[in-house]
Amino acid sequence: MSSTEVRLSRLLILAQKFNNFYLTGFHKGDIRPFLVEGQQVGLIKSDVLKQLVKYPEVFCIRDCEQTKQGLVELNPAFRDYNERTEQVEKVLRNLRSEGLFPALQGWRDEYFEVKSEHRPLLKMERAATPLFGVRKYGVDINGYVRHPTQGLCIWLQQRSNTKETWPGKWDNMVGGGLSVGFGIKETAIKEAAEEASIPSDLVKNLVSAGCVSFFFESRQGLFPNTEYVFDLELPLDFVPHNADGEVQAFELLPAKECVERVFTPDFKTTSAPVVIDFLIRHGHITADDVVDFTQIVELLHVPLQSLYIYKTRLEQLQKQHQQLPNDDGNCNSGSSTIKPLENGHKKAA
Amino acid sequence: MSSTEVRLSRLLILAQKFNNFYLTGFHKGDIRPFLVEGQQVGLIKSDVLKQLVKYPEVFCIRDCEQTKQGLVELNPAFRDYNERTEQVEKVLRNLRSEGLFPALQGWRDEYFEVKSEHRPLLKMERAATPLFGVRKYGVDINGYVRHPTQGLCIWLQQRSNTKETWPGKWDNMVGGGLSVGFGIKETAIKEAAEEASIPSDLVKNLVSAGCVSFFFESRQGLFPNTEYVFDLELPLDFVPHNADGEVQAFELLPAKECVERVFTPDFKTTSAPVVIDFLIRHGHITADDVVDFTQIVELLHVPLQSLYIYKTRLEQLQKQHQQLPNDDGNCNSGSSTIKPLENGHKKAA
């Protein structure tokens, strides 16, 4: 069906849009792992690199002897969490005052904890994390209603015009970043109260439903995001209202209209994966309707983890040096089959 | 919690087990794209290659000038779908009579259609597809009950002891491969009737819920599988019974016991992803319980598509030859960031 074709290409193009860095960004210029304590915690583009070289006492910029790869390393001489945090913050405040990076104009005095394998390494101003390509984790709640006549309907929020990021855009009913010291479901419940005034007797029906991962790039920087998704069925008569001033409106949309809204420029690009995942899980986008269904599902779960494994690769290379020649052979044939992975997806026309 | 840690490692080790080829198989020996009409439709291991070289009139084994990669190509002189089908079948019947491949002992006179971008290229005996690493698509139905006292319960089937594959193993309530000429939901409905005698008034509640993709390797060969998953809530008093002799028992298990069953050697390894995905979507495996939750979700949706893109890579290389030198530079930096993708996952201890 040509109508299906149209539907397909719109969904696929959107999935490619919120994965623009995963699909094509790597091919543009010199992208360097960012290491703290020998662990890769980020990816740094050349525009940021150009500024970091001015702070050699904080950032060591070098090539790795084993991987031959260019690296940015936080000075290993820093003793602990607090010293790393202070040293990075000093640089960030400088960069902010120089006004070079749009991201830093959104400075909000809110910390994001940079971890490796669940070990906290430092905390960083939330607005700065896109400059370092630090993996971000958030929660989103799909608030929905089973309407007697209109079927599945979804609550969307319109972000306040005063928000630093995506002002005025349509978004999921509830969403927020994970903050230091809060659990995942705990964060969802907190955000549900702050953003949509959802009372405890309703929020108790919250259902954990998995996560989506994508890698988006914008003027602000890099967004290797994982969103933990929750579904919340709401009674017909419940109307969310905002408590923290971050939302200007809520609207209940039938599933079909919700899909259309997601395609408009008025919808927050990085929230689209959560809605698409919800509509797929609830049978409103199906493999029979959308020819590239499996490709779209792939792009809702991109293997971010495999882009943050400098240390693993280093350990593998070191092992290989100790191993038999035919193991090196294996490794070569391995990497030759690895190469395609980034190229697998057709680009948006 | 150490109890969580145990839970984590069991789930992650299982996810690594049904992705043993995705995570490590590529590193073992010479894996070659299998081309039909210039399109990659499979991946061929060296044990199969050793046999195919004996049929040069059917399989051209060569190196690609542009990619420098070893290839297996179905003779491009074959005129059409029927000629390709007949020529391949002749070879397969020979190989079967030689008794070299366990997979071919499971010959079932059932065809699987080999396609590229939805264009049928040939049909192949279903039992032979693992030798060619052809992507397989199937449907699975999660039959479940909301029990008043036991909560979410899941129907499992025990496969007949006479089945060619995984005899006697526990499996999802309903599952089957996509057959020529059937739609995806249509196949699910057909299998629901044949395997579990689910009447039309119940099967109408079938909900499409997405798909899982993984890449498993066994003695039979390669299984780059995508399973389209459907959920079906069933009434408390419904008991499935088999109609086609392929099932020896059905059992209703509370979610907790179902998880335990999946970890036993009595459960079909390649059906585990469907159950884990179901338990994640329904809030029975959550990010707060399982430290490596995002890694497990990644391994339920591995980017298979990017392993079948010989033609895309060829076109990209050809483009690069026509482009500016700095585009080649980009390509190199690209491929250096592509390499990690296979290595991203810690191996099972």
Side-chain angles (χ1 to χ4, degrees):
Chain A
M1 313 300 150
S2 73
S3 69
T4 312
E5 292 300 336
V6 173
R7 172 96 172 279
L8 146 77
S9 37
R10 287 165 68 200
L11 263 178
L12 185 56
I13 287 165
L14 181 57
Q16 290 168 325
K17 185 178 170 191
F18 56 68
N19 278 299
N20 59 350
F21 192 77
Y22 175 69
L23 295 171
T24 64
F26 283 126
H27 301 263
K28 299 190 187 120
D30 174 23
I31 315 290
R32 298 191 172 211
F34 174 47
L35 305 185
V36 178
E37 295 271 282
Q39 302 275 0
Q40 182 181 353
V41 298
L43 286 164
I44 292 178
K45 285 170 55 193
S46 43
D47 58 338
V48 176
L49 189 67
K50 274 197 204 74
Q51 299 307 317
L52 299 187
V53 291
K54 300 172 185 169
Y55 303 90
E57 71 288 2
V58 180
F59 297 101
C60 318
I61 290 149
R62 60 179 179 87
D63 286 352
C64 171
E65 290 132 24
Q66 284 96 333
T67 65
K68 311 285 174 238
Q69 184 174 18
L71 299 173
V72 179
E73 187 172 23
L74 189 64
N75 189 340
F78 298 152
R79 285 188 315 280
D80 57 17
Y81 184 96
N82 292 335
E83 187 173 7
R84 288 183 214 113
T85 299
E86 288 154 21
Q87 293 285 346
V88 169
E89 180 146 350
K90 237 190 322 182
V91 174
L92 291 175
R93 293 195 178 275
N94 268 323
L95 292 173
R96 178 194 184 190
S97 62
E98 290 166 359
L100 289 163
F101 296 108
L104 296 180
Q105 303 320 305
W107 193 285
R108 49 175 107 163
D109 290 314
E110 190 183 324
Y111 282 116
F112 177 84
E113 192 156 61
V114 178
K115 298 180 186 180
S116 171
E117 288 162 359
H118 320 292
R119 189 166 133 265
L121 294 168
L122 71 153
K123 55 184 182 176
M124 181 186 282
E125 161 58 31
R126 188 174 281 277
T129 56
L131 303 180
F132 294 86
V134 173
R135 282 187 74 173
K136 296 289 293 292
Y137 299 86
V139 298
D140 289 86
I141 300 176
N142 299 293
Y144 68 99
V145 166
R146 298 188 191 277
H147 194 282
T149 58
Q150 297 187 291
L152 182 76
C153 296
I154 297 158
W155 278 105
L156 296 180
Q157 70 155 266
Q158 186 178 23
R159 299 164 65 88
S160 157
N161 288 325
T162 63
K163 276 203 115 171
E164 284 301 344
T165 58
W166 306 93
K169 297 288 185 184
W170 286 95
D171 199 345
N172 306 302
M173 181 182 74
V174 170
L178 283 182
S179 315
V180 182
F182 286 91
I184 292 162
K185 189 170 188 179
E186 190 183 8
T187 304
I189 292 167
K190 182 171 69 71
E191 294 288 342
E194 292 170 5
E195 287 195 348
S197 308
I198 295 169
S200 52
D201 67 312
L202 291 182
V203 90
K204 74 181 189 315
N205 303 323
L206 208 58
V207 177
S208 165
C211 63
V212 293
S213 294
F214 53 93
F215 205 151
F216 178 67
E217 175 180 17
S218 77
R219 282 183 64 248
Q220 308 288 315
L222 301 178
F223 298 85
N225 288 16
T226 296
E227 299 291 327
Y228 297 103
V229 298
F230 293 84
D231 293 352
L232 180 59
E233 182 168 2
L234 293 163
L236 269 169
D237 59 1
F238 175 78
V239 176
H241 59 92
N242 179 247
D244 63 6
E246 300 210 332
V247 181
Q248 61 177 294
F250 286 100
E251 187 177 356
L252 185 66
L253 288 177
K256 267 200 173 59
E257 290 177 41
C258 189
V259 179
E260 293 310 314
R261 181 70 55 89
V262 170
F263 286 124
T264 68
D266 303 333
F267 199 89
K268 179 176 177 262
T269 307
T270 52
S271 292
V274 175
V275 182
I276 297 170
D277 172 66
F278 179 82
L279 293 167
I280 287 173
R281 287 185 293 105
H282 290 264
H284 283 262
I285 297 173
T286 75
D288 284 313
D289 304 336
V290 179
V291 185
D292 269 305
F293 185 77
T294 57
Q295 195 172 344
I296 290 156
V297 172
E298 258 183 41
L299 290 173
L300 295 173
H301 305 92
V302 303
L304 288 182
Q305 148 148 13
S306 32
L307 308 179
Y308 289 78
I309 52 146
Y310 167 78
K311 196 185 177 192
T312 314
R313 287 174 61 210
L314 193 60
E315 288 163 353
Q316 285 171 341
L317 284 166
Q318 284 160 347
K319 261 202 220 95
Q320 283 157 24
H321 288 302
Q322 302 151 8
Q323 280 172 352
L324 306 160
N326 78 316
D327 280 327
D328 292 318
N330 291 348
C331 166
N332 297 338
S333 76
S335 59
S336 75
T337 56
I338 287 158
K339 282 202 189 69
L341 274 171
E342 281 303 316
N343 310 340
H345 309 270
K346 293 181 218 73
K347 299 211 180 61
Chain B
M1 314 298 154
S2 74
S3 70
T4 312
E5 291 300 335
V6 173
R7 172 93 173 281
L8 143 78
S9 39
R10 287 166 69 200
L11 264 178
L12 185 56
I13 287 165
L14 181 57
Q16 290 167 326
K17 185 178 169 190
F18 55 69
N19 278 300
N20 59 349
F21 191 77
Y22 175 69
L23 294 172
T24 65
F26 282 127
H27 301 263
K28 298 190 187 120
D30 174 23
I31 315 291
R32 299 191 172 212
F34 174 46
L35 306 185
V36 178
E37 295 271 284
Q39 301 275 0
Q40 182 181 352
V41 298
L43 287 164
I44 292 177
K45 284 170 57 191
S46 44
D47 57 339
V48 176
L49 188 67
K50 274 196 205 75
Q51 300 306 318
L52 299 186
V53 292
K54 300 173 184 169
Y55 303 92
E57 71 288 1
V58 179
F59 297 101
C60 316
I61 290 150
R62 60 178 182 88
D63 286 352
C64 171
E65 289 133 24
Q66 285 96 334
T67 66
K68 310 287 175 236
Q69 185 173 17
L71 300 173
V72 179
E73 187 173 24
L74 189 63
N75 189 339
F78 298 152
R79 287 187 314 280
D80 57 17
Y81 183 96
N82 292 336
E83 187 172 7
R84 288 183 214 113
T85 300
E86 289 154 20
Q87 292 286 346
V88 169
E89 181 146 352
K90 235 188 327 181
V91 173
L92 291 175
R93 292 195 178 276
N94 269 322
L95 293 174
R96 179 194 183 191
S97 62
E98 290 167 356
L100 289 164
F101 295 108
L104 296 180
Q105 303 321 304
W107 193 286
R108 48 176 108 164
D109 289 314
E110 189 183 323
Y111 282 116
F112 178 84
E113 191 157 62
V114 179
K115 298 180 186 182
S116 171
E117 289 161 1
H118 318 293
R119 188 165 134 265
L121 295 168
L122 72 152
K123 55 183 182 176
M124 182 186 281
E125 160 58 30
R126 189 174 282 277
T129 56
L131 303 180
F132 293 86
V134 172
R135 282 187 74 174
K136 296 290 291 293
Y137 299 86
V139 298
D140 290 86
I141 300 177
N142 299 293
Y144 68 99
V145 166
R146 297 189 192 277
H147 194 282
T149 58
Q150 298 188 290
L152 182 77
C153 296
I154 297 158
W155 278 105
L156 296 180
Q157 69 155 267
Q158 186 177 23
R159 299 164 66 87
S160 156
N161 288 326
T162 63
K163 277 204 113 169
E164 285 299 346
T165 58
W166 305 93
K169 296 288 185 184
W170 287 94
D171 200 345
N172 305 302
M173 180 182 74
V174 170
L178 283 182
S179 314
V180 182
F182 287 89
I184 293 162
K185 189 171 187 180
E186 191 183 8
T187 305
I189 292 166
K190 182 170 69 70
E191 294 287 342
E194 292 170 6
E195 287 196 347
S197 309
I198 295 170
S200 52
D201 66 312
L202 291 182
V203 90
K204 73 180 189 320
N205 301 324
L206 208 58
V207 177
S208 165
C211 62
V212 294
S213 295
F214 54 93
F215 206 150
F216 177 68
E217 177 180 16
S218 77
R219 281 181 66 247
Q220 307 288 317
L222 300 178
F223 298 85
N225 288 16
T226 295
E227 299 291 326
Y228 297 103
V229 298
F230 294 84
D231 293 352
L232 180 59
E233 182 167 3
L234 292 164
L236 269 169
D237 59 0
F238 175 78
V239 177
H241 59 92
N242 178 247
D244 64 4
E246 300 210 333
V247 179
Q248 62 177 293
F250 286 99
E251 187 177 356
L252 185 66
L253 289 177
K256 267 200 174 58
E257 290 176 40
C258 188
V259 179
E260 293 309 314
R261 181 70 56 88
V262 171
F263 286 123
T264 67
D266 303 333
F267 198 89
K268 180 177 177 259
T269 306
T270 53
S271 292
V274 175
V275 182
I276 297 170
D277 172 67
F278 178 82
L279 292 167
I280 287 173
R281 288 185 292 103
H282 289 265
H284 283 263
I285 297 173
T286 75
D288 284 313
D289 304 336
V290 179
V291 185
D292 269 305
F293 185 78
T294 56
Q295 196 173 343
I296 290 156
V297 172
E298 259 184 39
L299 290 174
L300 295 173
H301 304 92
V302 302
L304 288 181
Q305 148 147 13
S306 31
L307 307 179
Y308 289 78
I309 52 148
Y310 167 78
K311 196 184 178 195
T312 313
R313 289 173 60 209
L314 193 61
E315 287 164 354
Q316 284 170 343
L317 284 164
Q318 284 160 347
K319 262 202 219 97
Q320 283 157 25
H321 288 302
Q322 301 150 9
Q323 278 172 358
L324 306 159
N326 77 317
D327 280 329
D328 292 318
N330 291 348
C331 167
N332 298 339
S333 79
S335 59
S336 75
T337 57
I338 287 159
K339 282 202 188 69
L341 275 170
E342 280 304 314
N343 310 341
H345 309 270
K346 291 182 220 73
K347 299 210 181 63

